[in-house]
Every structure is written in C-alpha cells, then in structure tokens.
C-alpha cells in the first residue's frame, strides 16, 4: 500500500458518505493519501468502517468513522451531529472542506414490478438524503470547498431494469448543476462523477466469469472498472487543480457503450 503524502489536500477535512466499502472506501483511502482528514460515514455495519480507518492510519493518514442511517426522517441532522462529535473527539477544528455524496442503494427491477414502498426508499436514500445533507452542511462547508456527487453512467445509458434507480441519479445531476450556480459566489465547486460497471464485492453477479466478460466488453478498454478508477477522478475534482471546473458531469464509465 502506498503511504500517505502531505499533498494537495493537507489541512483539509473530507466527509465521504458510504465511505466504508466499495467505491466509497477507495475514495476515502485516496483522499487520505492526498493528506485530508477523512470522516468515513457508514450506515449499518461498523466493521468495514473500522477496517477502512485502519487502512488509512496504517498508510500514515488520518481518519475517523461515524454512523448515521440515511433514508429516514431526520437523517441529515443526525449525520451532521455525529460528524461534529467525531471531529471534536478527534481533536480537529470544526468545519468541512470536501463533501462526497457517495452513499446509495440500487433497485434492480423493471418499472412493472417496482412497488411504491421500493420507489420511495430508493429516492429517500439516493436523492432526499444527499439534498438535505448538503442543505444542513452548507454552514459547515468552508468557502472554496468541494461537493462531489456520485452519479452513474445509467443517466447516459438506457438500462430498463433499473429505471427507478436511474431516475435518482438523473435528479442528482440536476442538483449538481443547480448548486454549482448557487455556490459559485463562495468559490465552492459542485460536480458529479458517474461510474460505470465497477468491480466491487457489493455486486455478487461479477463472480460469474461469463457475466464479468460481458460487462467488461461494455467498456472501450475491455475491462471492468476498479474502485480506484473512480476515486482518482473524485480526488481530481476535490483538489485545487479543478478550481475552474464546476457544474459538470464527469463520465467515469471507461467509455461504456460508446459504440453500437
């Protein structure tokens, strides 16, 4: 494992929702390697969050984990209260520089079989939660800060069996564009990063060699995405190098479905 470097994000604090597993873990590791203090949010299982923090600390980085359930009433208030408490216990200054809205759930069902309860749940976690997390966090976010929303390539590529999920990510793209205009006066950039098919343990279908090969063929590079592929893009838009980039949808699908 590469060790942390006091680099372009030193003296900054980042919060990654859903930061304990999969893409979220890779984002947490990368931001910490760039020097940020990373608040690793998790919703249910503390073990992966503790492991993520341990990996960051083993590489010389700084992190702490905190729990807040998303998709329920009052989730944003509870998240920020837990963040503030964790920050104080760590001995860090109040406030935030980088907010990565990564947490989300999927709903792999065609429109004909989606129930109202399922629809409400996926929108509660994927749209309502980040909306109010941002709203309640604006007072903590320092001028010149960064908001990075994790979208999806399904907003560009039609996949009928995840229609409701795709709609949530379309909403995130619109929120990104609107907030970029609103927060520009404070020097805050807002961008969306859209992964394609990424090889994580969260997707059990990728254990099937035939499925892996079929999904890999979707990319122009003929391979599945790695969590680090996404984390590196997030690290770019979270840095000063992307100070003139805002309101953008960054396609990180590896050229998914570029051809016929």
């Amino acid at each position: 494992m590469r060790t942390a470097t006091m680099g372009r994000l030193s003296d900054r604090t980042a919060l990654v929702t859903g930061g304990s597993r999969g893409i979220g873990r890779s984002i947490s590791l990368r931001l910490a390697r760039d020097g940020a203090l990373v608040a690793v949010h998790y919703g249910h299982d503390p073990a992966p969050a503790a492991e993520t923090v341990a990996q960051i600390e083993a590489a010389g980085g700084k992190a702490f984990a905190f729990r807040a359930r998303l998709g329920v009433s009052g989730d944003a208030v509870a998240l920020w209260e837990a963040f503030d408490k964790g920050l104080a216990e760590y001995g860090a200054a109040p406030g935030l520089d980088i907010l990565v809205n990564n947490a989300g759930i999927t709903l792999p069902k065609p429109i004909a079989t989606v129930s109202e309860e399922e629809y409400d749940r996926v929108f509660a976690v994927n749209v309502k939660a980040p909306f109010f997390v941002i709203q309640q966090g604006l007072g903590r976010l320092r001028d010149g800060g960064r908001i990075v929303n994790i979208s999806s390539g399904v907003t560009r590529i039609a996949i009928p069996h995840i229609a409701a999920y795709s709609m949530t990510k379309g909403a995130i793209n619109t929120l990104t564009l609107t907030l970029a205009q609103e927060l520009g006066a404070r020097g805050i950039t807002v961008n969306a990063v859209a992964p394609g098919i990424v090889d994580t343990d969260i997707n059990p279908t990728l254990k099937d060699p035939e499925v892996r090969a079929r999904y890999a063929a979707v990319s122009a590079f003929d391979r599945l995405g790695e969590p680090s592929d996404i984390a590196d893009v997030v690290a770019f838009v979270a840095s000063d190098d992307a100070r003139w980039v805002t309101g953008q949808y960054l396609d990180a699908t590896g050229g998914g479905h570029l051809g016929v």
Side-chain angles (χ1 to χ4, degrees), residues 104-160:
I105 60 174
T106 188
L107 183 57
K109 287 187 172 184
I111 189 171
T113 62
V114 174
S115 69
E116 286 192 34
E117 291 77 12
E118 290 170 328
Y119 179 95
D120 288 344
R121 173 65 178 160
V122 73
F123 268 82
V125 174
N126 293 5
V127 181
K128 184 178 179 181
F131 180 95
F132 284 102
V133 165
I134 293 171
Q135 181 201 70
Q136 297 295 315
L138 286 178
R140 296 169 174 84
L141 190 63
R142 299 183 181 97
D143 290 355
R146 302 285 185 264
I147 297 175
V148 185
N149 297 320
I150 302 303
S151 178
S152 172
V154 299
T155 59
R156 175 177 63 83
I157 303 163
I159 304 179

Side-chain angles (χ1 to χ4, degrees), residues 21-98:
R21 299 177 60 197
I23 293 173
R25 171 179 285 184
S26 192
I27 293 170
S28 296
L29 292 170
R30 175 57 201 265
L31 296 181
R33 181 160 62 86
D34 283 353
L37 165 62
V38 180
V40 179
H41 161 264
Y42 68 97
H44 301 284
D45 188 356
E51 183 179 347
T52 301
V53 170
Q55 287 185 25
I56 289 172
E57 292 178 340
K62 302 173 293 181
F64 65 90
F66 72 100
R67 179 183 184 275
R69 185 181 174 194
L70 299 180
V72 296
S73 179
D75 53 2
V77 172
L79 179 143
W80 286 114
E81 288 178 349
F83 169 80
D84 290 343
K85 180 180 178 182
L87 205 61
E89 290 176 349
Y90 193 87
L96 183 70
D97 301 286
I98 302 161

